[in-house]
Amino acid sequence: MRQALNRIGLLLGLLFGVVLPAAAYDAPLLAIVIDDLGDNRARGMAAVNLPGAITYAVLPHTPHARELAIRAHQLGKEVILHAPMENKSGLRLGPGALTRGQSPAELQHVLNGNLDVIPYVVGMNNHMGSMLTEQRGKMDPIMQVVKQRNLFFLDSVTTSDTVAWKVAHEYGIPYLVRDVFLDNQRNQAYIHNQFKQALSLAVNRGHAVLIGHPYPETVAYLNKVIPILQQLGVRLVTASELLNQRSRTQLILAQPTLDPCDHAEGHCDSLPVAAKR
Ligand SMILES: [Zn+2]
């Protein structure tokens, strides 16, 4: 056993500059979520065909949402709603947007409509949302729907002042918090560096949540690196598996990295801070 762990440590060190803790070792868990599926069929299919337990966040009412969700499910992947929420930059939200101007009843109506059109949906995360996720009064009706429908919530953390995961916690909703954005810059060097950050966090803290997009650069990188994960001793899990594997206490103790990425909307420049236990 010790020999095997040493080998894993050596591999991680050589390939990713990650040092395993010397103490007793549980396989680090890594959840990879691919956002923004639905508008582009070819890119969406390329992402859905990635190997391993990946979670796909699908934009509602987009031309290929239903087909991509069904295909992902057929391949044993996980499907969540990528709920468009109002941002501070005035970026276009597309159909199914949740905005400040909507009443609690309207927010719930739109969100239920979004969830109804994505087959096999088991959770949701926010698309953009730097404006809306800061507003407690808007998160309440949203989390009520998440709770009613027995979904989990992943806070994409597009603003350091998000209250979304805190409100989910208060409602007793299983929740996760995005740790690292993979592809804020679409080049292999940047993506590799971000992936290393996520691996390091997973190894040090036990788990990490990585969000990427169906860019060709991202898909090419993940196609290369996912098959190596098992050899590295890192377990790739869906978002819901991550929630199941770790007790609530452990996940709640793991505070979000809260990097200052206001206006980033899924494309955050800053790196995560050191892992907290
Ligand atoms: Zn998005």
Side-chain angles (χ1 to χ4, degrees):
M1 183 65 181
R2 177 160 290 283
Q3 227 176 9
L5 294 184
N6 287 342
R7 198 177 70 239
I8 291 165
L10 188 65
L11 268 170
L12 275 168
L14 285 174
L15 289 168
F16 294 100
V18 172
V19 180
L20 282 176
Y25 171 78
D26 285 325
L29 303 176
L30 178 66
I32 301 177
V33 181
I34 305 294
D35 277 356
D36 292 358
L37 259 71
D39 280 318
N40 187 311
R41 186 181 182 277
R43 288 187 177 190
M45 279 297 175
V48 165
N49 283 320
L50 281 167
I54 312 267
T55 301
Y56 296 96
V58 181
L59 286 163
H61 310 291
T62 49
H64 308 288
R66 183 175 167 78
E67 182 188 5
L68 290 167
I70 290 171
R71 186 66 188 138
H73 178 77
Q74 283 171 343
L75 292 169
K77 319 288 186 175
E78 186 155 275
V79 177
I80 64 175
L81 166 69
H82 197 41
M85 296 189 193
E86 187 172 355
N87 61 77
K88 292 176 180 171
S89 313
L91 296 170
R92 186 181 164 275
L93 286 165
L98 304 164
T99 64
R100 274 178 303 165
Q102 293 164 334
S103 68
E106 285 169 331
L107 286 168
Q108 293 188 333
H109 177 74
V110 173
L111 180 54
N112 274 312
N114 291 347
L115 289 162
D116 288 342
V117 295
I118 312 280
Y120 307 112
V121 67
V122 293
M124 66 172 262
N125 73 341
N126 53 296
H127 171 61
M128 304 189 184
S130 56
M131 179 70 82
L132 206 71
T133 59
E134 289 185 1
Q135 302 201 0
R136 164 89 218 201
K138 301 300 176 187
M139 289 300 107
D140 270 319
I142 287 169
M143 293 306 164
Q144 284 161 12
V145 171
V146 176
K147 175 88 176 170
Q148 279 162 10
R149 298 181 70 133
N150 281 322
L151 304 172
F152 67 82
F153 181 76
L154 163 62
D155 193 335
S156 307
V157 191
T158 53
T159 165
S160 54
D161 292 325
T162 177
V163 296
W165 67 270
K166 295 172 193 163
V167 179
H169 172 47
E170 286 171 23
Y171 277 85
I173 293 164
Y175 72 92
L176 294 167
V177 175
R178 185 272 306 165
D179 294 304
V180 177
F181 278 127
L182 182 60
D183 46 14
N184 182 33
Q185 293 176 29
R186 291 169 55 176
N187 65 73
Q188 296 287 299
Y190 181 88
I191 291 170
H192 184 55
N193 189 53
Q194 294 300 95
F195 195 82
K196 284 193 291 185
Q197 295 283 336
L199 273 190
S200 178
L201 196 58
V203 166
N204 285 304
R205 196 183 61 185
H207 59 90
V209 178
L210 181 64
I211 292 185
H213 299 82
Y215 304 140
E217 297 87 346
T218 304
V219 170
Y221 179 81
L222 290 176
N223 264 316
K224 279 189 292 189
V225 80
I226 288 171
I228 306 172
L229 284 176
Q230 199 178 3
Q231 296 161 36
L232 297 176
V234 174
R235 213 177 127 210
L236 181 63
V237 290
T238 59
S240 62
E241 273 181 81
L242 179 52
L243 283 162
N244 289 337
Q245 288 291 324
R246 295 287 166 177
S247 73
R248 290 296 307 280
T249 313
Q250 283 173 296
L251 281 174
I252 288 162
L253 283 173
Q255 295 296 310
T257 48
L258 294 182
D259 37 7
C261 58
D262 297 65
H263 309 285
E265 310 306 344
H267 307 277
C268 184
D269 278 325
S270 51
L271 298 175
V273 298
K276 294 173 185 153
R277 279 187 181 270

